[in-house]
Amino acid sequence: EQIRQPRNTPNRLEVARERLADLGVGDEFLCLVDSVEGNYFHETYAVWPFRWFIVDGNNKKERNILSIAQPRSSGYDVKELVAWIVNEATKRKERK
């Protein structure tokens, strides 16, 4: 499926939530995206051209980065991210 480049932050968040829903993941995760208008996270952490971060959101006062995607052979394997999301969502559903 072709995904159009989001033109604003609410649209970017909508696209991210749709991708999580495609994986069968819903409220198990707080979904954070960088703002389209400012790209502040990108500017701070140099995430170009593509990189994902897994952030622990259990503590509202403090958020810790659990994992940062690292390229291998000049690229990323998105399957690793998908596997982590599905595995973590399954564990969180079982705890409920």
Side-chain angles (χ1 to χ4, degrees), residues 40-95:
Y40 304 111
F41 195 85
H42 164 72
E43 293 296 326
T44 303
Y45 294 101
V47 297
W48 186 92
F50 171 76
R51 186 178 258 177
W52 63 83
F53 291 70
I54 299 173
V55 180
D56 177 12
N58 290 330
N59 182 341
K60 291 184 180 183
K61 292 183 181 180
E62 182 179 309
R63 300 205 190 277
N64 298 306
I65 296 175
L66 299 178
S67 176
I68 301 172
Q70 298 298 321
R72 291 187 192 101
S73 302
S74 301
Y76 296 96
D77 186 356
V78 178
K79 293 176 193 167
E80 292 175 21
L81 174 63
V82 171
W84 187 92
I85 290 171
V86 170
N87 184 45
E88 186 66 21
T90 300
K91 287 193 279 185
R92 291 180 185 197
K93 285 178 185 177
E94 290 171 355
R95 282 186 240 148

Side-chain angles (χ1 to χ4, degrees), residues 6-59:
R7 298 193 183 271
N8 57 52
T9 301
N11 183 240
R12 183 177 277 179
L13 186 56
E14 179 184 344
V15 169
R17 286 181 177 148
E18 287 172 358
R19 300 295 68 84
L20 287 174
D22 289 347
L23 296 174
V25 176
D27 296 338
E28 294 83 18
F29 294 98
L30 171 65
C31 185
L32 304 172
V33 299
D34 202 1
S35 71
V36 171
E37 298 78 14
N39 279 318
Y40 304 111
F41 195 85
H42 164 72
E43 293 296 326
T44 303
Y45 294 101
V47 297
W48 186 92
F50 171 76
R51 186 178 258 177
W52 63 83
F53 291 70
I54 299 173
V55 180
D56 177 12
N58 290 330
N59 182 341

